[in-house]
Amino acid sequence: QVHLMESGGDSVQAGGSLNLSCVVSGFRSGCVGWFRQAPGNEREGVLIIPLGGGRTYYGDSVLGRFTWSRDPAKNTLYLQMNSLKPEDTAMYYCAAEDPGRKAPGGVCLGESRQYAFWGQGTQVTVSS
């Protein structure tokens, strides 16, 4: 059974940094990563990693500011967020791909319908 749990959300000032963690269990291959959702907005892909190798998906608004790392020994995926902006304020979710909805070529897309497994979310608030 796939289980994801996020942590690390906080309130920071613009220009600051945060590092989110996602402990992933029961998921070994495919696309896994981060989405976010602000009140009144649709859930959007932030950064998605193909565990089996391939191209990482980056949301346009985070390219150059957000990066990722992974500790396989801890089954943990990290999202390093730098140069945070007020518009980064959202609930951040960790998600893993639905095996029945793989995109052609195994591409990781930033579309929530590709993902079946979700964490409970962690809140990030950036003040100006």
Side-chain angles (χ1 to χ4, degrees), residues 3 18 43 56 87 97 100:
H3 185 67
L18 278 176
R43 194 166 292 190
T56 297
E87 51 264 43
E97 185 179 36

Side-chain angles (χ1 to χ4, degrees), residues 11-84:
S11 297
V12 297
Q13 291 194 329
S17 298
L18 278 176
N19 191 24
L20 305 184
S21 300
C22 175
V23 179
V24 183
S25 60
F27 190 83
R28 294 292 180 263
S29 65
C31 300
V32 62
W34 298 90
F35 283 76
R36 68 186 182 186
Q37 188 168 20
N41 290 356
E42 294 186 355
R43 194 166 292 190
E44 63 171 344
V46 174
L47 192 156
I48 315 293
I49 301 101
L51 291 182
R55 184 177 179 180
T56 297
Y57 170 91
Y58 290 89
D60 289 342
S61 63
V62 307
L63 190 61
R65 299 188 298 124
F66 290 11
T67 60
W68 69 276
S69 62
R70 183 183 173 207
D71 186 341
K74 296 182 178 179
N75 293 325
T76 302
L77 184 66
Y78 301 98
L79 178 67
Q80 178 65 40
M81 306 187 295
N82 299 320
S83 302
L84 283 163

